[in-house]
Amino acid sequence: MFWRIFLFLLCQIVPALAVWFFYTGHDQYTVTLLAALAGCYVWLALDGWRGWRLLRWLRSGDTSQIPLGSGFWGEVFDRARKLVRSRDRVLAESDNRLQEFLAALQASPNGVVLLDRDGRIEWFNQMAAGHFGLDERRDMLQHLGNLVRDPGFAAYFSTRDFRRDVVMPGRNSSSSKPVRLSVHMHPYGEGRSLLLSHDITALDQAEAMRRDFVANVSHEIRTPLTVLAGFVETLQSLPLKAEDRNRYLDLMSQQAQRMQTLVSDLLTLSRLEGSPLPPSQEWHPVAALMAQCEQDAHDLSALLWGGTQTLSFETHGVAELAGSASELLSAMFNLIGNAIRYSPADKAIVVRWTSTPDGGAIFSVKDQGQGIAPEHIPRLTERFYRVDRSRSRETGGTGLGLAIVKHVSQRHGAELSIESAPGKGSCFSISFPPQRVHQQTTLPTATERLIDA
């Protein structure tokens, strides 16, 4: 401030002294006063110009330019520039935090919609766009109630009672592929709301499967238990001949064996679902697996049909298969066992192992049974699903065999395929990927097959 006053006085004194010493007219005093006044106006003009430059800079807010150097206005500019830069830094940090927060919401597995106090959309992430069919360019600042027309959600949104969630169908829900959403509103701020949506389709399906599973297991176990209880009561209350008693005991043994098989299959499924994936470094000769399956198949056919079926086992190419031997045997023999059970006594069953050009392999079981209608094929791998329930029980099936085959195939990176038509038999195939198959150029010896078996 001192230098500002000093310059102001200097701008008056210098022209006044110059006129006083160099002008000798009769009006010397008047001219000297006018020179001092002119110096004052010049100083005011220069000072106003510098102040105007500062004001223009403040209006533009461009901190990269430095319009003033030193002096009073220079110091004002320097302090203002520091304040503006500090403000810009705070705004940049706030914007970065906002972008990080929005990026986190964008990465959320839930749909997120921010609503103002009037229920208009301020922001939403891509998950919410998929759940409700929203478009950023079209639906921003639109009222949510005009875009989501589900009656359950409309009632939930209008009552403003957000203590619970509401379940509604998703935008792309259909009868063949239902989509279920859980939607919950959370008020915050001054009248604003946060909407969270979560796809619960898998949870609903899992719950439905759990209910069906419990119902099916209860049904499957109730029948043999009822039979066993009836036979026990008969044996306890009636005097029977040895022949009748032995017949009843045989029937009771069959029912007990059926329950034991059911429990064994359930434990197998539980173990497959809860255990780690089979190792890819343990190799097993395919010839040994096929030999074991062939022996068990002849035993089962002899038990059910007296050995009248024609069983053919063909192995094209010598290979080793990576994975769990017990799981592979279970899957392979389940397919063979089904073919034996559901094929007539005088029909042929062909079991093949065939190498594919890409280095993989296909294990297939083809029978000459009555075949399966197309509408049943997609559901054959469901637990307890049977095309003919009465016939399945007669042959000792539990309805879990193909479910086990599907799980084993998936755990080994393989794919189960089914080809069948009524009256033309069926062909069940497991396609193994090349990384699970090791082609050999020499046949394994009988000793090696025996050791691996």
Side-chain angles (χ1 to χ4, degrees), residues 146-159:
N146 296 333
L147 303 176
V148 183
R149 298 297 186 88
D150 178 72
F153 176 79
Y156 174 76
F157 189 68
S158 61
T159 57

Side-chain angles (χ1 to χ4, degrees), residues 28-46:
Q28 185 178 24
Y29 291 103
T30 303
V31 174
T32 300
L33 182 61
L34 291 174
L37 187 61
C40 178
Y41 280 114
V42 169
W43 182 89
L44 289 175
L46 291 174

Side-chain angles (χ1 to χ4, degrees), residues 42-212:
V42 169
W43 182 89
L44 289 175
L46 291 174
D47 190 71
W49 178 70
R50 287 167 63 87
W52 174 80
R53 289 183 63 189
L54 175 62
L55 180 62
R56 185 178 63 177
W57 174 82
L58 289 173
R59 288 174 178 173
S60 66
D62 187 3
T63 58
S64 62
Q65 297 181 359
I66 306 177
L68 301 173
S70 59
F72 173 78
W73 291 116
E75 183 177 354
V76 172
F77 161 76
D78 186 62
R79 293 181 180 275
R81 180 169 59 88
K82 290 180 179 178
L83 291 175
V84 171
R85 286 186 174 179
S86 176
R87 180 207 62 183
D88 291 345
R89 185 166 55 253
V90 172
L91 290 177
E93 292 175 354
S94 299
D95 185 67
N96 289 335
R97 286 196 295 268
L98 176 61
Q99 295 303 320
E100 291 175 357
F101 176 73
L102 293 179
L105 292 180
Q106 195 68 257
S108 172
N110 298 324
V112 180
V113 182
L114 302 181
L115 305 173
D116 64 11
R117 63 180 60 195
D118 297 324
R120 301 183 184 276
I121 299 174
E122 294 184 325
W123 184 89
F124 56 86
N125 63 358
Q126 290 299 317
M127 190 64 70
H131 287 170
F132 302 107
L134 302 178
D135 183 86
E136 184 177 1
R137 293 172 296 181
R138 180 193 64 202
D139 299 327
M140 199 65 72
L141 298 180
Q142 297 294 319
H143 197 279
L144 182 65
N146 296 333
L147 303 176
V148 183
R149 298 297 186 88
D150 178 72
F153 176 79
Y156 174 76
F157 189 68
S158 61
T159 57
R160 310 295 294 179
D161 183 8
F162 301 145
R163 292 174 296 179
R164 57 176 182 85
D165 62 346
V166 62
V167 178
M168 58 174 285
R171 179 75 173 186
N172 300 321
S173 180
S174 62
S175 57
S176 60
K177 190 177 180 180
V179 178
R180 304 283 289 170
L181 300 177
S182 172
V183 180
H184 201 168
M185 300 280 290
H186 300 272
Y188 77 97
E190 297 180 359
R192 286 180 164 81
S193 299
L194 168 68
L195 181 147
L196 297 178
S197 60
H198 180 60
D199 190 338
I200 59 172
T201 305
L203 295 177
D204 281 358
Q205 292 176 346
E207 179 63 20
M209 289 178 61
R210 185 192 67 80
R211 291 194 300 267
D212 292 343

Side-chain angles (χ1 to χ4, degrees), residues 326-383:
S326 60
E327 293 183 16
L328 293 170
L329 278 173
S330 175
M332 296 165 73
F333 188 71
N334 261 303
L335 295 183
I336 299 172
N338 284 343
I340 293 173
R341 289 185 179 92
Y342 300 121
S343 296
D346 57 344
K347 299 297 183 179
I349 297 172
V350 179
V351 181
R352 288 191 180 94
W353 175 274
T354 308
S355 300
T356 57
D358 62 352
I362 298 176
F363 173 80
S364 63
V365 180
K366 183 175 178 59
D367 62 51
Q368 297 178 348
Q370 64 182 11
I372 304 170
E375 62 269 19
H376 295 294
I377 292 178
R379 301 190 60 189
L380 286 179
T381 56
E382 295 180 12
R383 298 179 181 185

Side-chain angles (χ1 to χ4, degrees), residues 150-409:
D150 178 72
F153 176 79
Y156 174 76
F157 189 68
S158 61
T159 57
R160 310 295 294 179
D161 183 8
F162 301 145
R163 292 174 296 179
R164 57 176 182 85
D165 62 346
V166 62
V167 178
M168 58 174 285
R171 179 75 173 186
N172 300 321
S173 180
S174 62
S175 57
S176 60
K177 190 177 180 180
V179 178
R180 304 283 289 170
L181 300 177
S182 172
V183 180
H184 201 168
M185 300 280 290
H186 300 272
Y188 77 97
E190 297 180 359
R192 286 180 164 81
S193 299
L194 168 68
L195 181 147
L196 297 178
S197 60
H198 180 60
D199 190 338
I200 59 172
T201 305
L203 295 177
D204 281 358
Q205 292 176 346
E207 179 63 20
M209 289 178 61
R210 185 192 67 80
R211 291 194 300 267
D212 292 343
F213 177 75
V214 172
N216 284 323
V217 171
S218 301
H219 177 74
E220 294 294 331
I221 292 180
R222 184 185 299 116
T223 301
L225 284 178
T226 302
V227 175
L228 283 174
F231 286 150
V232 169
E233 184 179 356
T234 301
L235 291 173
Q236 290 176 338
S237 59
L238 296 177
L240 299 175
K241 298 179 180 180
E243 181 181 352
D244 293 335
R245 185 172 60 254
N246 291 335
R247 182 167 59 87
Y248 287 159
L249 290 174
D250 288 341
L251 293 174
M252 293 171 64
S253 177
Q254 292 176 11
Q255 298 300 325
Q257 181 63 36
R258 179 183 168 190
M259 285 194 296
Q260 185 177 0
T261 303
L262 176 62
V263 172
S264 177
D265 286 349
L266 288 173
L267 291 176
T268 299
L269 275 175
S270 177
R271 185 175 64 252
L272 291 175
E273 293 176 346
S275 61
L277 292 177
S280 58
Q281 299 81 19
E282 294 184 8
W283 296 90
H284 308 281
V286 173
L289 297 175
M290 292 286 284
Q292 183 65 50
C293 289
E294 183 175 3
Q295 179 181 347
D296 294 341
H298 283 291
D299 293 341
L300 179 62
S301 179
L303 178 64
L304 295 179
W305 307 105
T308 57
Q309 290 177 326
T310 302
L311 303 179
S312 175
F313 285 76
E314 303 174 4
T315 304
H316 301 280
V318 182
E320 291 181 326
L321 192 57
S324 169
S326 60
E327 293 183 16
L328 293 170
L329 278 173
S330 175
M332 296 165 73
F333 188 71
N334 261 303
L335 295 183
I336 299 172
N338 284 343
I340 293 173
R341 289 185 179 92
Y342 300 121
S343 296
D346 57 344
K347 299 297 183 179
I349 297 172
V350 179
V351 181
R352 288 191 180 94
W353 175 274
T354 308
S355 300
T356 57
D358 62 352
I362 298 176
F363 173 80
S364 63
V365 180
K366 183 175 178 59
D367 62 51
Q368 297 178 348
Q370 64 182 11
I372 304 170
E375 62 269 19
H376 295 294
I377 292 178
R379 301 190 60 189
L380 286 179
T381 56
E382 295 180 12
R383 298 179 181 185
F384 299 109
Y385 184 82
R386 295 186 178 94
V387 177
D388 187 344
R389 289 185 173 272
S390 61
R391 188 175 175 212
S392 177
R393 290 195 180 96
E394 291 173 0
T395 56
T398 63
L400 297 173
L402 289 179
I404 294 175
V405 174
K406 178 182 177 181
H407 275 73
V408 172
S409 300

Side-chain angles (χ1 to χ4, degrees), residues 380-450:
L380 286 179
T381 56
E382 295 180 12
R383 298 179 181 185
F384 299 109
Y385 184 82
R386 295 186 178 94
V387 177
D388 187 344
R389 289 185 173 272
S390 61
R391 188 175 175 212
S392 177
R393 290 195 180 96
E394 291 173 0
T395 56
T398 63
L400 297 173
L402 289 179
I404 294 175
V405 174
K406 178 182 177 181
H407 275 73
V408 172
S409 300
Q410 291 175 343
R411 285 167 57 80
H412 287 79
E415 182 179 357
L416 173 65
S417 58
I418 304 172
E419 298 177 5
S420 185
K424 297 182 179 180
S426 305
C427 182
F428 292 78
S429 303
I430 303 177
S431 301
F432 292 95
Q435 57 268 26
R436 287 280 178 176
V437 181
H438 178 214
Q439 305 293 344
Q440 290 182 323
T441 57
T442 60
L443 290 171
T445 65
T447 303
E448 290 174 339
R449 292 198 300 267
L450 183 61

